[in-house]
């Protein structure tokens, strides 16, 4: 039976959402951080989109955000010429790393001991987080501002980009009907999802390259797409100021989605129902009240 994709819409940001990152799977589930031009990166429960808190401290647009593997630390990159490292549990700012220009990207090593940054000054910097007073190691070579930099090959190599080209030996390529801004590969390399200038998300079979599905839900270009660590959903961030969560397998009961089948011969599509715990809003209000002096502010909505 055909199923209809029903994304969860996570509101709260007031300007375009430009970067997203998931943590690894922890004993408490997994988590999602979003970077936004409103200067207020947000932390959410990864499988439901429930808002946890907002990191307050930057004085300009936040271009990049990431979480370490166990979701105990967060890092952000901003237009105020700083990268910041945060305690992701308490929301406390742990350190501010001054730069000479806008910072666009941040990434932790797997052991969380080092942070990689890049930005408009065309330099990659590696900070030893156990020695915050030490000067970072600088790597030059880029000829324009760095948009993204990531650790790869078990933190032995760095992959960075400063224009519209990532230079490697190509493994696979996929044709898309619009300009693509971001793509993400399923953890088990089954699917690829991508989004861009036509407001739509595309899902491809990784092996055959066949377009499997496409969905339109955002009201602006899509800037970032990321699969969750378990592969059950993917998140998208857009110019419209929202991030949305989409099911990898439409109709599967997972997180806030619960499959509800229509009556026979009704002619309706089966539709995943969005269910919310009765006490969810009360619990969030209680958390916000208890932590009013830390990162927590008003409670953004999560809705179908």
């Amino acid at each position: 039976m055909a199923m209809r994709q029903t994304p969860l819409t996570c509101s709260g940001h007031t300007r375009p959402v430009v970067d997203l990152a998931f943590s690894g799977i922890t004993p408490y589930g997994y988590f999602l951080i979003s970077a936004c031009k409103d200067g207020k990166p947000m932390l959410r429960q990864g499988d439901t989109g429930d808002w946890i808190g907002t990191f307050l401290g930057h004085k300009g647009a936040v271009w990049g955000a990431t979480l370490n593997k166990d979701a105990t630390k967060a890092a952000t990159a901003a237009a105020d010429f700083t990268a910041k490292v945060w305690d992701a549990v308490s929301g406390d700012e742990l350190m501010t790393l001054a730069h000479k220009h806008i910072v666009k990207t941040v990434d932790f090593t797997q052991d969380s001991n080092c942070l990689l940054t890049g930005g408009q000054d065309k330099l990659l910097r590696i900070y030893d987080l156990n020695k915050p007073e030490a000067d970072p190691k600088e790597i030059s070579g880029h000829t324009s501002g760095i948009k993204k930099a990531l650790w790869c090959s078990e933190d032995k190599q760095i992959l960075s980009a400063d224009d519209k080209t990532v230079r490697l030996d190509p493994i696979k390529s996929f044709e898309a009907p619009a300009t693509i801004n971001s793509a993400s590969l399923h953890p088990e390399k089954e699917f690829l999802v991508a989004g861009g200038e036509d407001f739509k998300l595309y899902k491809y079979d990784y092996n055959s390259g066949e377009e499997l599905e496409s969905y339109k839900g955002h009201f602006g270009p899509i800037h970032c797409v990321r699969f969750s660590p378990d592969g059950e959903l993917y998140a998208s961030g857009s110019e419209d100021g929202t991030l949305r969560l989409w099911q990898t397998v439409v109709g599967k009961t997972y997180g806030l989605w619960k499959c509800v089948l229509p009556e026979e011969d009704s002619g309706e599509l089966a539709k995943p129902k969005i269910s919310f715990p009765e006490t969810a809003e009360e619990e969030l209000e209680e958390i916000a009240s208890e932590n009013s002096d830390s990162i927590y502010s008003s409670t953004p909505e999560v809705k179908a």
Side-chain angles (χ1 to χ4, degrees):
M1 179 176 290
M3 301 294 289
R4 186 172 71 187
Q5 177 79 266
T6 305
L8 299 177
T9 301
C10 305
S11 59
H13 284 300
T14 58
R15 295 202 61 202
V17 178
V18 292
D19 195 24
L20 297 170
F22 284 101
S23 71
I25 298 174
T26 77
Y28 306 98
Y30 60 88
F31 300 87
L32 172 65
I33 191 171
S34 55
C36 181
K37 289 184 181 180
D38 63 10
K40 298 176 181 179
M42 291 186 177
L43 182 67
R44 297 177 184 271
Q45 191 71 38
D47 60 341
T48 64
D50 288 337
W51 175 84
I52 296 173
T54 301
F55 298 99
L56 301 176
H58 280 296
K59 297 179 181 179
V62 175
W63 288 100
T66 193
L67 294 167
N68 66 347
K69 190 174 180 179
D70 59 6
T72 57
K73 292 181 181 178
T76 50
D80 60 8
F81 293 20
T82 69
K84 291 181 182 289
V85 180
W86 312 79
D87 183 317
V89 179
S90 68
D92 294 335
E93 182 182 315
L94 299 179
M95 63 185 72
T96 296
L97 306 171
H99 290 64
K100 297 178 181 179
H101 213 309
I102 294 170
V103 190
K104 286 290 190 75
T105 181
V106 283
D107 195 35
F108 287 107
T109 50
Q110 292 186 37
D111 60 11
S112 306
N113 288 328
C114 294
L115 184 74
L116 172 66
T117 71
Q120 290 298 99
D121 64 1
K122 309 173 188 177
L123 293 174
L124 293 168
R125 290 180 173 86
I126 300 173
Y127 291 87
D128 185 340
L129 300 182
N130 295 315
K131 301 176 181 177
E133 71 286 348
D135 291 334
K137 180 179 180 181
E138 295 184 349
I139 303 172
S140 60
H142 282 279
T143 57
S144 59
I146 298 167
K147 295 183 177 180
K148 194 70 176 179
L150 298 169
W151 293 102
C152 60
S153 302
E154 298 181 349
D155 300 336
K156 295 177 182 178
Q157 294 180 331
I158 294 171
L159 178 63
S160 57
D162 62 8
D163 52 25
K164 295 182 179 180
T165 305
V166 176
R167 296 177 179 86
L168 290 172
D169 296 332
I171 299 174
K172 282 184 179 291
S173 62
F174 299 81
E175 293 293 328
T179 300
I180 297 299
N181 294 328
S182 181
S184 183
L185 181 63
H186 189 273
E188 297 180 5
K189 297 185 178 181
E190 296 178 357
F191 310 106
L192 180 88
V193 291
E197 294 298 311
D198 64 352
F199 307 3
K200 296 177 72 174
L201 281 160
Y202 297 90
K203 180 180 174 184
Y204 297 91
D205 182 283
Y206 176 73
N207 293 311
S208 68
E210 177 187 0
E211 180 185 317
L212 301 176
E213 301 160 343
S214 65
Y215 304 110
K216 186 174 181 180
H218 283 291
F219 297 97
I222 295 168
H223 294 306
C224 45
V225 184
R226 302 285 185 270
F227 264 111
S228 62
D230 62 1
E232 293 288 350
L233 61 81
Y234 48 98
S236 58
S238 169
E239 183 75 15
D240 64 14
T242 68
L243 61 96
R244 296 173 189 249
L245 304 181
W246 309 77
Q247 286 189 286
T248 302
V249 179
V250 178
K252 184 176 182 178
T253 295
Y254 180 83
L256 296 181
W257 288 285
K258 183 178 180 180
C259 183
V260 177
L261 297 177
E263 296 181 4
E264 291 186 11
D265 301 324
S266 68
E268 296 180 358
L269 290 176
K271 180 180 179 181
K273 179 181 178 182
I274 310 299
S275 59
F276 297 91
E278 293 181 1
T279 59
E281 184 173 349
E282 296 175 1
E283 290 176 354
L284 285 171
E285 290 178 353
E286 182 179 346
I287 291 173
S289 176
E290 292 175 354
N291 295 276
S292 59
D293 294 328
S294 60
I295 64 173
Y296 301 98
S297 54
S298 61
T299 307
E301 297 178 339
V302 179
K303 59 185 179 181

